[in-house]
Amino acid sequence: MTVAVSVVAAAAAADDRLLAREARKLRRSGSLGVSGWIAIGALVVLGLVALLAPLIVPTDPNAVSLSDAYLPASGSHPLGTDASGRDLLSRLIMGSQTALVGPLLVVVASTILGTALALCAVWFGGWFDQAVVRVVDAIFAFPGLLLAILATALFGSGLTAAVAALSIAYIPYIARIVRSAALSERSLPYVAALRVQGVRGFVIATRHILPNVSGLIVANGTLSFGFVLMDLAGLSFIGLGVQPPTADWGAMVGEGMSGVLQQQPLEALSASLLIVITVASVNILGDRLTERSEAHS
Amino acid sequence: MSEPLLTVQHLTKTFGRGRSETTAVSEVSFTLAAGGSLGIVGESGSGKTTTARMIIGLERPSGGRIAFRGHDRTQPARSTKQFRERGRDIQIVFQDPYTSLDRRQRAGDCLAEILGVHFKLGRDETKRRVGELGELVGLDDRQLNAFPRALSGGQRQRVAIARALATEPEILILDEAVSALDVSIQAQILNLLSDIREKRGVSYLFISHDLAVIRQVTDDTIVMRRGSVVEQGTTADLLDNPRESYTRLLRDSVPREGWDPSTITARL
């Protein structure tokens, strides 16, 4: 995990330096730019691999063969095998499913709940708005990972409890952004015009305010995806998330730790690298989308 | 004389409480006759816009009374249904044509939405009425199909006027509706408003700081300063023979040849 963290940090720093100039240029044009399209390309490939994983794995990712532990790369095992003699490439491919599905569920759930909550708060205003702000602040005070660990302690290890807990933990991020954007949207004269025309509040909120803040919602969801992926991978790394023998990148980094000490770092490294590539891609894409939604508003 | 369309009596609005209390509008009274055109003129902060917002129901008066055809509408509408009913009596056009339209909605869809809220129309009938409204304000099919960002300020304001007229109101409040437009466009919109008044018989409550504009489109005018009415009368008489020093000051503040701003500042 430390390997992953330092690589992520290095990638983030490189991203900042290399992309600062491009970002400045793009902020004006509002297009996604080369880096944005590379990120989309990487994510499309990862998504296709995850979708087709059962069809394209060379061998059964869970087939244990202790006599084949730590085999070097060969024709039958393109990346070699792990400590239990399982095919590394197959496990990486299968692992993409849990790596992508978990964050996707969290982002979709927290975005829908957070957006609905924020729009209600803005529309009804008054004490309801204040109550929503306080509740959201209270949730915000708990680190997502801590909440997820608590949930797994209460409901047992596994992806379900962690995803549910993180879905709640990520509501504040989206709710705050949508609330402030919708609040400034609501103060615009066109909303007053719609009101005095007798258009229903629900229609104003969903058909007028929501489309005008949708760019921000998508951008924020994309950025959250990377954070959730790290959270879930971290949870699997310490053994509370995805349970063995299911393949998962976070769990593979954890299982590969012993291999690192035995001069067999490939399992931990390859899984870390995939986490880094995925998180970096969604972050770059999220940044570009944020800039674009700012350029358009 | 017949019963006035709109009656405003002793309308007052205060903001804040205790020490920070400020009176935005104080004891304002006027009437607007059916088919008439009343101007409210005054400097920034004189309470013109607050008066308009109370009449349309976006602001709650602290005192006084507002009635349309004798029906009380002092308190803002409580329900969507009430907003809808009152929306067919009075409508408003705001100052800024850039923020008074939803930037994600095509001009024609904006009109169709309002028509759909107020009238039970089929799809063809809605389309026909949108076309009619567009024609009334001088927008062609291509402009009706455009998003606001593809329209100029004047065209956007035409959309806003068409939207306000969609409910077929008897009174149209124009809150600095031409102030954000450049002069040639202003003239076009003012002509358009005169035509619409002739065709539709709609009454105007025309709020502006611009005396030339007030002179062109209103019959009667009230002058407001610091929330109170300082002078009222027919527009021509008021602007040609102002009795109040403030009205004279407003008139003299309009730049012209040989005009010296320092003489105005000295009189403030």
Side-chain angles (χ1 to χ4, degrees):
Chain A
M1 201 61 190
T2 37
V3 184
V5 170
S6 58
V7 178
V8 168
D15 174 54
D16 284 350
R17 274 196 307 275
L18 285 170
L19 300 178
R21 198 183 314 156
E22 191 193 0
R24 267 197 300 277
K25 203 164 60 192
L26 292 175
R27 202 158 292 147
R28 260 168 258 131
S29 70
S31 81
L32 287 177
V34 180
S35 62
W37 284 109
I38 291 175
I40 288 178
L43 291 172
V44 167
V45 170
L46 283 164
L48 281 176
V49 167
L51 219 62
L52 303 173
L55 302 175
I56 57 173
V57 281
T59 49
D60 179 0
N62 295 329
V64 175
S65 169
L66 291 175
S67 59
D68 293 335
Y70 296 133
L71 285 182
S74 67
S76 54
H77 300 294
L79 287 180
T81 58
D82 69 1
S84 310
R86 295 174 294 194
D87 181 53
L88 201 52
L89 181 65
S90 300
R91 289 188 69 74
L92 287 174
I93 290 175
M94 276 317 266
S96 66
Q97 287 196 320
T98 49
L100 298 183
V101 168
L104 191 68
L105 289 174
V106 170
V107 166
V108 168
S110 63
T111 299
I112 290 175
L113 290 173
T115 304
L117 204 61
L119 285 180
C120 288
V122 166
W123 193 258
F124 294 113
W127 66 266
F128 184 78
D129 183 39
Q130 285 308 305
V132 168
V133 170
R134 298 284 168 260
V135 169
V136 161
D137 280 350
I139 300 174
F140 200 61
F142 289 97
L145 203 54
L146 207 62
L147 216 59
I149 291 172
L150 187 72
T152 53
L154 288 174
F155 304 107
S157 302
L159 207 56
T160 322
V163 163
L166 286 177
S167 297
I168 294 171
Y170 275 84
I171 286 177
Y173 294 93
I174 184 72
R176 284 180 161 194
I177 290 175
V178 175
R179 179 178 169 275
S180 68
L183 214 54
S184 63
E185 200 68 25
R186 202 207 153 148
S187 67
L188 294 178
Y190 82 82
V191 173
L194 289 165
R195 268 179 73 207
V196 300
Q197 296 270 15
V199 178
R200 273 168 43 221
F202 181 77
V203 173
I204 299 179
T206 55
R207 292 237 304 265
H208 294 278
I209 294 180
L210 184 60
N212 278 300
V213 299
S214 60
L216 261 179
I217 294 175
V218 171
N220 184 72
T222 312
L223 283 173
S224 298
F225 189 97
F227 288 106
V228 178
L229 200 156
M230 292 290 284
D231 285 351
L232 285 175
L235 222 53
S236 297
F237 172 78
I238 57 175
L240 295 174
V242 176
Q243 294 301 298
T246 310
D248 174 83
W249 296 346
M252 287 173 75
V253 178
E255 289 160 14
M257 288 284 281
S258 52
V260 174
L261 299 176
Q262 295 169 42
Q263 313 296 315
Q264 301 288 347
L266 195 58
E267 183 182 11
L269 270 183
S270 55
S272 311
L273 189 67
L274 285 173
I275 293 174
V276 170
I277 290 174
T278 315
V279 173
S281 298
V282 289
N283 280 358
I284 291 170
L285 181 62
D287 281 348
R288 292 298 97 78
L289 288 175
T290 310
E291 285 154 13
R292 196 168 71 156
S293 73
E294 281 164 2
H296 277 257
S297 60
Chain B
M1 194 182 140
S2 63
E3 184 193 32
L5 210 50
L6 179 74
T7 315
V8 173
Q9 289 166 325
H10 310 294
L11 196 63
T12 300
K13 177 71 187 178
T14 55
F15 289 106
R17 259 186 217 158
R19 276 187 152 191
S20 64
E21 185 177 281
T22 45
T23 304
V25 177
S26 169
E27 298 277 330
V28 168
S29 302
F30 59 83
T31 58
L32 174 59
S37 179
L38 177 71
I40 302 182
V41 68
E43 62 193 17
S44 305
S46 59
K48 304 171 303 219
T49 292
T50 307
T51 306
R53 289 178 67 86
M54 286 191 283
I55 293 169
I56 196 76
L58 287 170
E59 209 80 67
R60 184 180 299 275
S62 313
R65 187 167 178 272
I66 304 164
F68 177 84
R69 286 194 187 282
H71 296 291
D72 184 80
R73 56 177 286 154
T74 310
Q75 297 304 318
R78 266 190 297 273
S79 62
T80 301
K81 188 166 164 277
Q82 207 173 13
F83 263 121
R84 205 168 289 178
E85 286 164 5
R86 291 182 180 184
R88 287 196 277 267
D89 299 334
I90 307 180
Q91 275 303 327
I92 186 164
V93 176
F94 294 103
Q95 171 171 9
D96 184 0
Y98 293 88
T99 54
S100 60
L101 298 178
D102 182 350
R103 56 195 178 280
R104 293 254 175 162
Q105 195 175 36
R106 292 174 199 275
D109 294 343
C110 167
L111 303 179
E113 181 182 13
I114 304 304
L115 289 170
V117 165
H118 286 273
F119 308 103
K120 293 230 178 307
L121 302 173
R123 193 157 12 131
D124 294 342
E125 178 65 8
T126 305
K127 215 177 156 203
R128 197 180 60 77
R129 291 276 282 274
V130 168
E132 271 178 17
L133 281 168
E135 204 177 317
L136 182 68
V137 298
L139 292 171
D140 59 28
D141 282 352
R142 195 182 56 79
Q143 289 156 344
L144 287 175
N145 250 319
F147 284 101
R149 67 170 169 275
L151 298 175
S152 68
Q155 288 166 341
R156 289 178 201 216
Q157 205 60 308
R158 288 170 193 265
V159 178
I161 292 169
R163 177 181 60 189
L165 290 172
T167 66
E168 296 172 6
E170 295 186 65
I171 298 176
L172 194 58
I173 301 177
L174 297 134
D175 183 7
E176 300 275 14
V178 297
S179 309
L181 308 174
D182 58 51
V183 180
S184 61
I185 307 295
Q186 239 182 35
Q188 288 175 17
I189 298 286
L190 291 174
N191 285 336
L192 174 71
L193 288 171
S194 301
D195 290 348
I196 290 173
R197 189 175 159 207
E198 241 168 70
K199 279 188 211 159
R200 288 280 182 109
V202 58
S203 311
Y204 289 150
L205 187 60
F206 202 99
I207 293 167
S208 183
H209 64 274
D210 188 335
L211 298 180
V213 166
I214 288 282
R215 189 192 286 274
Q216 197 176 336
V217 291
T218 66
D219 306 331
D220 300 291
T221 296
I222 63 179
V223 181
M224 283 183 74
R225 185 186 200 188
R226 293 180 190 155
S228 304
V229 175
V230 292
E231 189 170 0
Q232 61 188 91
T234 62
T235 303
D237 184 43
L238 196 108
L239 295 184
D240 292 335
N241 312 298
R243 274 171 281 278
E244 287 294 320
S245 60
Y246 180 65
T247 314
R248 274 199 294 276
L249 179 69
L250 274 183
R251 198 184 59 166
D252 297 345
S253 302
V254 179
R256 63 188 168 278
E257 219 179 331
W259 176 74
D260 181 3
S262 61
T263 61
I264 302 298
T265 338
R267 282 161 65 188
L268 279 176

